[in-house]
Amino acid sequence: MTALLLTRRLRPAELATVDAVLSVAVGGLLGPYAALESPLHGGVRESLWVSVLVGMALGLPLAVRRRWPVTVTVVISSVATVALITGVIPNYAAAAPGLAIGLSLYTMAASTATRRSLLCAAGCLAVVSLALVLTASDLWSRTGAVVYAAVMITPAWMIGWLVRERRALAARQGEHMVLQAAAEERLRVARELHDVVAHTLSLIVVKAAVANHVAEVDPREAGAALRVIEETGRNALTDVRRVLGALREGTPYAPTPGLDELPVLAQQAAIGGVEVRLDVRREDPAVAVPESVGLAVYRIVQEAVTNVVKHATPAACRATVTVTPREVRVEVTDDGRRPVLAGGEGHGLIGMRERVTLHGGEFHAGPRSDGGYAVTASLPYRVAA
C-alpha cells in the first residue's frame, strides 16, 4: 500500500490537502519568526497580531497556488515587499518570506505559459530587490541585496519552468506514441485484409473464368466451379471477420491462422490450378512457435502461393517451412513463367517484407537462375521459458 502511494500521482483532493497543510505550516512559522526576529536585533517591535497577520498573509495563499498561480505569486510578493520595507521582517531575514515566494514562483512557472510566468517573475524580482535596496545601509549592501534577491527567486522559477517543459515533452511523446500505435494498427489491418482478399479473389477469378468457359459445353463442370467460388467466398468472409474482430474486445474472431493451417492453404491453391507440395519440418516437435510468428509464416506462404496463382499458372510450387528452436525458415519456389511487371514490388511483396522486418528477420524474393521464382524468409523468435 505504501509503495503504491509513493509511485502513483496524487489526486486533486490529495494535492489540495497537501497545499492546505503546507500553507498553514509556512504561515505558522513566519508569524512567530516575524514577531521575534526584529526585536532580538534591535528592529521594529510590532504587535503580535501584526506579525501573525503577516505570516498568514505570506503562507495561506499557498493553499490555492495551483488554482490561481499568478495571483498567489503577486499577493505573496506584495506582502513580502511591504513587510521588508516596514521592517516587520528585516532585510537580513529575507530568506523567511523567500520560502513562500519560491513555492509560489515554482508553481506559477510549472503551470503558466513561459512568457507570462517570466514577466511575473521579473516583476517579483524587481519589487523584492527594490524593498531590499531601500532597507540597505550602503552601496555594498544594496548590491548584495539585489544579488540575494536574484539567487532567491531565479532558481525557483527555473525549476518550475524545467518541470513544465518536461511535462510538455512527455505529453508530446505520449501523443506521438498513440499516433504511432494507431498507424501501426491500421497498417496491420490493411496488410491482413490485403492478404485475405488478394488470395481469395485470385482463386475466385480463376474458377469464374473456368465456369464462364465451360458454362455451355459442360454445365456440371461450371456448377462445380461455382460451388468452389461459393466455398472460397465463405472462407474469405470468415477470415475478414477474424481480422476485423481483432479490433473489438471480447470477440471470438482473432487472426490466428498458423502453421497448422498450411495444408488447407495448399488445398485451396490446388483449386486455382497450382500444385503445391508442402513440407513442414520441425527439428523439435515440443517447441511451440509464437502465435505472431506462426501468423506471419502463414501469410507469407499465402501471399507467395497467391502470386503463383495470379502470375504463373499453370505451375508447380514447393513450400518448405523449417522450424528450429531459434527461427522459422520459409522457402516458396515455383517453375512458372511470369510476365515482366513495371513499377517495382507490389503490395504483396511489400507486406511480406514488412512482416519479416517486424520480427527482425531476413527476406528475399526474385527470379531463380534455372527459371521460376523464389521467396525466402527467416523469422527469428525466442522460446518462452
Side-chain angles (χ1 to χ4, degrees):
M1 184 66 179
T2 304
L4 178 61
L5 291 175
L6 290 176
T7 54
R8 71 172 176 83
R9 296 188 65 180
L10 296 178
R11 300 185 180 93
E14 295 171 341
L15 289 174
T17 302
V18 171
D19 288 343
V21 173
L22 179 64
S23 67
V24 173
V26 172
L29 289 175
L30 292 182
Y33 183 85
L36 297 175
E37 180 67 20
S38 294
L40 290 176
H41 294 80
V44 177
R45 180 182 296 274
E46 73 277 356
S47 301
L48 178 61
W49 69 268
V50 175
S51 300
V52 173
L53 180 63
V54 170
M56 291 296 102
L58 289 171
L60 291 184
L62 294 175
V64 291
R65 63 193 176 104
R66 301 180 195 274
R67 186 174 181 86
W68 298 295
V70 176
T71 302
V72 169
T73 302
V74 172
V75 169
I76 292 178
S77 301
S78 301
V79 173
T81 301
V82 173
L84 289 170
I85 292 177
T86 58
V88 174
I89 297 178
N91 59 355
Y92 54 80
L99 174 62
I101 295 174
L103 289 173
S104 63
L105 278 171
Y106 163 80
T107 305
M108 180 194 64
S111 58
T112 309
T114 301
R115 183 177 180 180
R116 186 180 183 187
S117 68
L118 183 59
L119 290 175
C120 186
C124 176
L125 177 61
V127 296
V128 173
S129 299
L130 179 62
L132 293 174
V133 168
L134 292 177
T135 56
S137 58
D138 52 34
L139 179 61
W140 178 254
S141 299
R142 294 187 183 97
T143 304
V146 174
V147 174
Y148 182 77
V151 172
M152 181 176 59
I153 291 175
T154 304
W157 182 87
M158 285 294 298
I159 294 174
W161 178 79
L162 289 174
V163 170
R164 173 182 170 81
E165 291 298 309
R166 196 65 187 272
R167 290 173 180 172
L169 177 61
R172 290 194 297 269
Q173 289 178 341
E175 182 180 357
H176 175 71
M177 291 178 64
V178 170
L179 295 176
Q180 183 178 4
E184 291 177 353
E185 182 66 12
R186 287 195 298 268
L187 179 61
R188 185 191 66 80
V189 173
R191 190 187 300 121
E192 292 287 332
L193 289 176
H194 171 270
D195 292 345
V196 171
V197 173
H199 173 73
T200 305
L201 288 183
S202 297
L203 298 180
I204 289 176
V205 168
V206 170
K207 299 309 291 186
V210 172
N212 183 51
H213 182 69
V214 301
E216 297 181 358
V217 179
D218 192 348
R220 296 179 63 181
E221 180 69 19
L226 291 175
R227 285 191 294 273
V228 171
I229 292 175
E230 179 184 4
E231 180 182 357
T232 304
R234 292 181 185 276
N235 293 335
L237 289 176
T238 302
D239 286 342
V240 170
R241 290 192 187 100
R242 287 174 179 166
V243 174
L244 298 181
L247 301 178
R248 306 183 181 93
E249 295 182 358
T251 62
Y253 304 108
T256 56
L259 301 182
D260 295 336
E261 284 72 30
L262 289 176
V264 178
L265 184 62
Q267 294 176 3
Q268 293 176 350
I271 296 175
V274 175
E275 177 188 356
V276 178
R277 289 180 293 173
L278 178 64
D279 184 11
V280 179
R281 307 169 184 173
R282 293 180 179 266
E283 292 186 2
D284 186 355
V287 175
V289 177
E291 182 178 328
S292 60
V293 175
L295 175 61
V297 171
Y298 179 89
R299 294 303 186 197
I300 290 171
V301 175
Q302 183 185 49
E303 181 61 32
V305 172
T306 300
N307 286 338
V308 178
V309 173
K310 289 193 298 185
H311 304 303
T313 307
C317 179
R318 182 178 182 86
T320 304
V321 178
T322 305
V323 182
T324 71
R326 294 182 178 273
E327 66 176 0
V328 179
R329 294 190 295 270
V330 182
E331 183 179 10
V332 181
T333 59
D334 66 83
D335 57 3
R337 292 186 177 181
R338 303 190 181 202
V340 178
L341 301 176
E345 292 185 346
H347 291 289
L349 290 177
I350 294 175
M352 288 190 283
R353 190 181 302 278
E354 288 175 348
R355 290 183 185 276
V356 175
T357 302
L358 285 175
H359 290 84
E362 297 181 358
F363 175 83
H364 300 283
R368 298 194 301 168
S369 59
D370 55 349
Y373 203 82
V375 173
T376 59
S378 64
L379 294 88
Y381 67 93
R382 293 183 178 179
V383 179

